[in-house]
Amino acid sequence: MKKAKGRYQNKERRIVNRKYMSYEDVPLQDYRDNDPVPNNLTRKFFKVFVILFLSVVLVLALMNIDNLTPDNISHWFQYDFLGKTEGDGYPIDFDGTVVNTQNFDLLDGVPVYCSDTAITVLNSNAGEYQTSQHAFANPITNVCSGYAMIYNANATGFKIINREKMIYTGSAKSKIFSADISPSGVYALLTQGEDYLSKLTVYRKDHLEKYTYSFADYYVNRVSLNRDGTRAVLSGISAKNGGLISSVYVLDFSQEKFLQKYDFEDSYIYEVKFLDNGNAVAVGEKSAHYINIQENKKKDFPYNSRNLTTYTLSRNYGLILSLSNSPDGRDCDIMMVNAEGDKLSEIQTGQQILSLDYRNGKIASLFSSSVLIYNEEGKNIASTKASVDARKIRFSSDSVLYALGKSRIFQLSIDY
């Protein structure tokens, strides 16, 4: 009995002395798994992640290498990263009293306009990137890639800006007929000649003179530079046998004589544009023209008795025209000639067209109080309301348009 009792007491003592574990009392480091991930495996995963991340950054950098400039990087840091000049949203009243349609466009995807008193660049929420006063009596604005050039027509002053700042203010020696700037920063002034009818002067990005060419037989009044600032296409007018003759010149700045010349009898050329693919387009009084500079030939697109009411030219896509079937400018058709010189199917709208633009296979047409979006086959794929005073539209993205009104600028959203 004593042995049994002793064994019972020892068992009871062991039960009393036994410690029960509570996880609330265990330090956090003791919760760890008994089979943790090996350190070398973690390091390998991190290395793979870093390599993939850097590869993506490199690919994006190569795709946008032309935009990786100090100014663009500074812009991203100040305005996108830090959120500078946020703005109160659209619509917004513009500075000044008058903005002509030729003085409203997009600069790097955001609105830029020149009123009768100021030059202003807005952001996507109607905040101001910059604004500066001017004293131009007849300002004309040309936008190309990251630059905008504003010149005082029939006077001598001009200005060059980018999205963030005024880059340069200059003065020509003679009255300016036309001006243009290329994506490379090379710019050209077409002025009244001293001993000739017209004179072209081309300047490098650092504003030093690069090239000159004088025209003795034609009043040349339009100029457009190619992408790298090595060539120009120009148009001018003259008289021949009592009638009007227009000519389009192609100049190469490495040559003294013109590279190519095309004549158009009894037709006025309104505007010319150098395309990014090295060819050019021209809009005339009676027909549009595609100039294949590489093959030294042109292709004509007659209006067939229709009246030209508005048009848009672009280095990227070519040209879009509104052609009216009636003398009052109504019942308009849309004609597009792409950058390859092919005419797409004409679109019959039956309405008066006020403005046109194109982006990624989508054609935007502004009517009296609405915007319709067509595909290249002429099918209406989307629409949105517009202010009754809207006069000009520009695509910022596939789903966002900016519109110029009589006193305001609007932002329009497109739902497909």
Side-chain angles (χ1 to χ4, degrees):
M1 291 291 297
K2 288 183 179 180
K3 290 182 178 182
K5 183 177 180 181
R7 286 195 299 269
Y8 176 78
Q9 289 175 343
N10 290 335
K11 183 178 180 182
E12 186 178 16
R13 191 180 297 115
R14 287 195 300 270
I15 293 173
V16 172
N17 293 335
R18 181 181 297 168
K19 294 182 178 180
Y20 293 92
M21 180 178 291
S22 171
Y23 282 102
E24 294 180 358
D25 300 326
V26 178
L28 289 176
Q29 58 266 28
D30 290 341
Y31 279 102
R32 60 181 179 269
D33 193 344
N34 291 329
D35 188 20
V37 177
N39 289 333
N40 60 342
L41 184 60
T42 303
R43 287 194 294 270
K44 288 180 179 179
F45 175 80
F46 180 74
K47 288 180 180 179
V48 170
F49 174 79
V50 170
I51 292 172
L52 290 174
F53 175 77
L54 293 177
S55 299
V56 172
V57 171
L58 179 61
V59 170
L60 292 176
L62 291 174
M63 293 174 61
N64 297 276
I65 192 168
D66 293 337
N67 298 321
L68 293 179
T69 63
D71 286 340
N72 284 346
I73 294 172
S74 173
H75 162 266
W76 174 85
F77 183 77
Q78 293 183 64
Y79 297 96
D80 297 327
F81 184 76
L82 297 181
K84 187 178 177 181
T85 64
E86 290 184 353
D88 297 323
Y90 290 91
I92 182 175
D93 295 336
F94 52 68
D95 292 333
T97 56
V98 177
V99 176
N100 295 326
T101 55
Q102 63 188 352
N103 289 324
F104 170 78
D105 215 320
L106 297 189
L107 179 60
D108 281 342
V110 294
V112 56
Y113 67 88
C114 181
S115 70
D116 53 340
T117 61
I119 304 164
T120 304
V121 184
L122 302 174
N123 68 7
S124 59
N125 203 36
E128 288 186 359
Y129 282 132
Q130 64 165 308
T131 185
S132 59
Q133 302 299 308
H134 71 79
F136 293 169
N138 188 21
I140 306 293
T141 303
N142 272 345
V143 176
C144 179
S145 187
Y147 296 102
M149 188 171 188
I150 303 94
Y151 63 94
N152 196 7
N154 294 317
T156 59
F158 67 94
K159 298 176 183 292
I160 299 173
I161 67 172
N162 62 16
R163 186 159 56 173
E164 290 78 33
K165 62 184 179 181
M166 182 73 62
I167 296 176
Y168 186 72
T169 298
S171 180
K173 296 178 181 179
S174 303
K175 292 181 179 180
I176 301 173
F177 296 147
S178 180
D180 192 33
I181 188 166
S182 73
S184 66
V186 174
Y187 61 95
L189 299 177
L190 188 59
T191 62
Q192 184 179 45
E194 298 174 359
D195 299 320
Y196 297 88
L197 297 179
S198 306
K199 181 180 180 181
L200 174 71
T201 307
V202 182
Y203 298 87
R204 303 185 326 193
K205 187 177 181 180
D206 59 5
H207 315 296
L208 297 177
E209 187 177 296
K210 174 179 179 177
Y211 176 84
T212 62
Y213 191 95
S214 298
F215 300 88
D217 301 323
Y218 285 82
Y219 288 97
V220 179
N221 55 7
R222 290 291 182 269
V223 59
S224 177
L225 297 174
N226 69 345
R227 185 170 184 81
D228 56 3
T230 59
R231 288 181 172 181
V233 58
L234 310 97
S235 65
I237 57 173
S238 185
K240 182 179 179 181
N241 300 326
L244 173 72
I245 182 172
S246 295
S247 285
V248 171
Y249 287 85
V250 179
L251 300 180
D252 189 305
F253 303 154
S254 65
Q255 302 178 21
E256 293 184 2
K257 192 177 184 298
F258 61 80
L259 182 66
Q260 295 170 18
K261 182 174 179 287
Y262 303 90
D263 293 332
F264 306 90
E265 293 190 7
D266 296 324
S267 179
Y268 184 81
I269 300 297
Y270 294 118
E271 193 170 346
V272 291
K273 183 71 69 174
F274 227 118
L275 304 178
D276 283 344
N277 63 8
N279 296 317
V281 290
V283 173
E285 181 183 8
K286 299 178 180 179
S287 58
H289 311 279
Y290 182 87
I291 300 172
N292 192 325
I293 297 174
Q294 299 171 12
E295 299 180 7
N296 193 15
K297 61 183 182 181
K298 68 178 178 69
K299 188 187 296 185
D300 301 325
F301 299 91
Y303 302 156
N304 298 325
S305 300
R306 292 173 295 182
N307 301 309
L308 177 68
T309 60
T310 188
Y311 60 86
T312 301
L313 287 78
S314 169
R315 296 176 181 271
N316 298 321
Y317 62 75
L319 59 86
I320 306 179
L321 311 173
S322 169
L323 302 174
S324 174
N325 293 285
S326 61
D328 61 1
R330 301 180 185 276
D331 188 15
C332 293
D333 301 334
I334 299 173
M335 178 197 292
M336 178 176 176
V337 178
N338 65 19
E340 287 70 44
D342 300 321
K343 184 175 76 170
L344 304 182
S345 59
E346 295 190 11
I347 304 171
Q348 297 178 352
T349 70
Q351 302 183 61
Q352 182 180 15
I353 296 175
L354 304 176
S355 180
L356 293 164
D357 201 15
Y358 175 89
R359 181 184 174 92
N360 293 337
K362 302 175 181 66
I363 300 170
S365 180
L366 173 64
F367 300 109
S368 60
S369 60
S370 64
V371 176
L372 267 60
I373 310 296
Y374 302 91
N375 61 19
E376 293 180 347
E377 289 72 39
K379 180 181 178 182
N380 178 211
I381 57 175
S383 64
T384 188
K385 292 182 179 179
S387 172
V388 293
D389 67 341
R391 296 175 289 152
K392 185 177 182 178
I393 53 173
R394 283 291 177 264
F395 267 119
S396 175
S397 68
D398 287 352
S399 58
V400 175
L401 286 163
Y402 287 99
L404 172 69
K406 289 185 178 179
S407 61
R408 296 180 294 173
I409 295 174
F410 303 85
Q411 187 183 73
L412 307 177
S413 297
I414 307 295
D415 294 325
Y416 295 97

